[in-house]
Amino acid sequence: METTKNTQRIKRIYIIPAAIVAVLIGLQLFNQPIASKPVTGHMDEAPAEVLAILQRSCYNCHSNEQKLSWFDQLAPASWAVKKDVDRAREVMNFSEWDKLSTGERTGKMYAILNMMQAGKMPLREYLLLHPGAKVTEKDIEVVKKYTLSRSGNEAPHNTPPATAGAAPKTFPVSPNGVKYTDAFKQWTVISMSTLFDHSIRVIYGNDIAVKAVREENFFPWPDGAVVVKAVWKQEEQPDGEIRPGEFVNAQFMEKNAEKYKDTEGWGFAKFSGQKLAPTGKDALFAQQSCIGCHRQLSASTGYLFDVPMKVNPASLTEKILSK
Amino acid sequence: MNRMLYLLLTVAFFTACKNERSTHDQARIVFEPGDLQFIASSLNPKLETMSVLYGNDSALQSLAKGNHPAAGTVMKLVTWRYHDNPQYFGSKINGELLSVETVQAGSHDSIAYRLDFGTLQRPATQAERITYIMRYKPVQIP
């Protein structure tokens, strides 16, 4: 009796791992390799120490030169890896760095620095299995020094000169369906900002957006909220004060949870120059060139960066309103 | 298995994320300009301030043309301290509200000035402030 029970237990002990192994082997049939793509150009302008950090911590996802370990290549882990690599290369690819303009490269360096400082990159779940990819305070200092050196000696703005010409008679539409409207000129100003690229910005909100800011109703922002950021080149006055000069672009974020599912419910759009030319060749542009940053770095305010800072006494609102 | 672990640990990490520091007596305020609309903005790197100029239609007209403001013209200059954007190094954003100034044109070319709220960051006479505010030009948007 005793022995039969034991053999039964032993059998069971072996059957479970055997089944797992069988399933794992089966899963490998569905293993799709990461598409191999050519290297077109590296970040040759950066110092070697900066490159070394990016190669060590970021290249496995943001390049065409993966050095994956065996466990990254086994299903089901490999599925997650492939998904991350596809997505990472879509937003930034260190093997295709030559495709970016000088201004875009500076913009990416700031994005890189911010992601590292916020501890968002490399992705946390990746670090669990690849602890060597963790970035240190020293790495961040190195990247910061280089990033600041780039913006110092750069032309005042990174946008090509706006093409001359009259404003279009009918308003343009972004490829993802966001329509330009000039109604924002009458909306309430929710904040102002500047960026390292020597631009100056004003952020307008419609009534729904303003109400959401005042009530901190960010999780999620209500449908129908629209925020528009107008961007100008900085124009310096003789006394050193800075004013908005030439118009660069107007950027929209329009909340519709149903319509813009892939971009956290926000419809992004950018309309540039006097002609208000929409950015993006198809609806995917927002996924490729907008949401990455907003999702990773401004989630704590519902994916908007320029919500007013929480630094004024609440009583001030009534004071201002009563004037 | 791997994936489960991956998921579980991610969840654990995210729940451990820090919340914004508690600031229950502080608010995110949006200046309410009433009937006035946005006309222009400015940034003063020396004083670390940003300002917005609001006005009514006749303010917009007179500033665009550089004319003397017609009676009934109202302009409000709202000035804020600016800071590094807490969510993005390399960007600045307005923070504390510092002052609200109003300029109002009456009949017979008279112009009244009033400091509605706060203090000026640099001492100036009323006449200086009026001249300063009336030198703003409306921003260009196609």
Side-chain angles (χ1 to χ4, degrees), chain A residues 111 114 185 192-194 196 204 214 216 232 239 241-242 244 300-301 304 308 310-312 314 317 320 323, chain B residues 23 25-31 38 41-43 46 52 87-92 94-95 97 116 132 140 142:
Chain A
N114 273 287
K185 295 178 189 176
M192 285 171 281
S193 70
T194 61
F196 52 83
Y204 308 72
R214 290 196 172 127
E216 292 195 80
W232 296 271
D239 62 1
E241 201 175 271
I242 287 160
S300 69
T301 42
L304 265 78
K310 206 170 173 174
V311 292
N312 286 291
T317 310
I320 310 171
K323 285 285 171 191
Chain B
T23 43
D25 48 344
Q26 306 281 75
R28 301 188 192 270
I29 66 167
V30 176
F31 184 77
F38 170 78
S41 70
S42 70
L43 174 128
K46 282 178 217 141
V52 184
Q87 306 193 95
Y88 205 85
F89 175 80
S91 180
K92 308 264 190 234
N94 57 305
L97 180 65
D116 291 334
Y132 167 78
Q140 297 302 313

Side-chain angles (χ1 to χ4, degrees), chain A residues 235-295:
Chain A
E235 209 173 84
E236 199 175 327
Q237 308 285 105
D239 62 1
E241 201 175 271
I242 287 160
R243 301 279 171 88
E246 191 185 320
F247 172 81
V248 178
N249 62 46
Q251 300 182 33
F252 282 54
M253 281 174 71
E254 172 184 295
K255 187 70 204 292
N256 184 330
E258 196 50 43
K259 192 169 171 194
Y260 305 112
K261 278 206 177 90
D262 294 333
T263 46
E264 307 291 350
W266 285 105
F268 286 83
K270 182 154 128 184
F271 303 98
S272 304
Q274 292 302 313
K275 295 203 160 123
L276 299 170
T279 287
K281 49 182 194 305
D282 54 43
L284 287 177
F285 88 93
Q287 231 166 304
Q288 292 160 352
S289 63
C290 307
I291 190 64
C293 240
H294 283 252
R295 180 190 285 137

Side-chain angles (χ1 to χ4, degrees), chain A residues 77 80 84 110-111 113-114 117 124-125 128 144 148 167 180 184-186 188-189 191-196 200 202 204 210 213-214 216 218 232 239-244 247 273-274 276 297-298 300-301 304-314 316-317 320-321 323, chain B residues 1-3 5-6 9-10 13-14 17 20-21 23-33 37-38 40-46 50-52 54 76 78 80 83-97 100 116-117 132 135-137 139-142:
Chain A
D84 282 346
Y110 270 93
L113 174 60
N114 273 287
Q117 278 183 334
R124 281 170 210 258
E125 58 267 31
L128 296 177
K144 185 170 182 176
L148 288 172
Y180 182 88
F184 73 84
K185 295 178 189 176
Q186 264 77 44
T188 309
V189 170
S191 60
M192 285 171 281
S193 70
T194 61
L195 204 63
F196 52 83
I200 180 164
V202 168
Y204 308 72
V210 170
V213 169
R214 290 196 172 127
E216 292 195 80
F218 302 151
W232 296 271
D239 62 1
E241 201 175 271
I242 287 160
R243 301 279 171 88
F247 172 81
Q274 292 302 313
L276 299 170
L297 298 171
S298 59
S300 69
T301 42
L304 265 78
F305 284 97
D306 288 320
V307 292
M309 295 175 76
K310 206 170 173 174
V311 292
N312 286 291
L316 208 55
T317 310
I320 310 171
L321 281 174
K323 285 285 171 191
Chain B
M1 277 293 277
N2 256 342
R3 211 176 185 201
L5 196 77
Y6 215 81
L9 285 164
T10 320
F13 264 110
F14 278 104
C17 261
E20 255 186 65
R21 74 195 154 94
T23 43
H24 43 267
D25 48 344
Q26 306 281 75
R28 301 188 192 270
I29 66 167
V30 176
F31 184 77
E32 177 56 64
Q37 62 162 301
F38 170 78
S41 70
S42 70
L43 174 128
N44 191 318
K46 282 178 217 141
M50 288 177 175
S51 301
V52 184
Y54 299 94
K76 254 184 211 303
V78 181
W80 310 76
H83 296 278
D84 285 331
N85 188 315
Q87 306 193 95
Y88 205 85
F89 175 80
S91 180
K92 308 264 190 234
I93 183 168
N94 57 305
E96 297 85 357
L97 180 65
V100 179
D116 291 334
F117 170 84
Y132 167 78
R135 273 211 321 262
Y136 274 83
K137 290 269 168 261
V139 297
Q140 297 302 313
I141 300 175

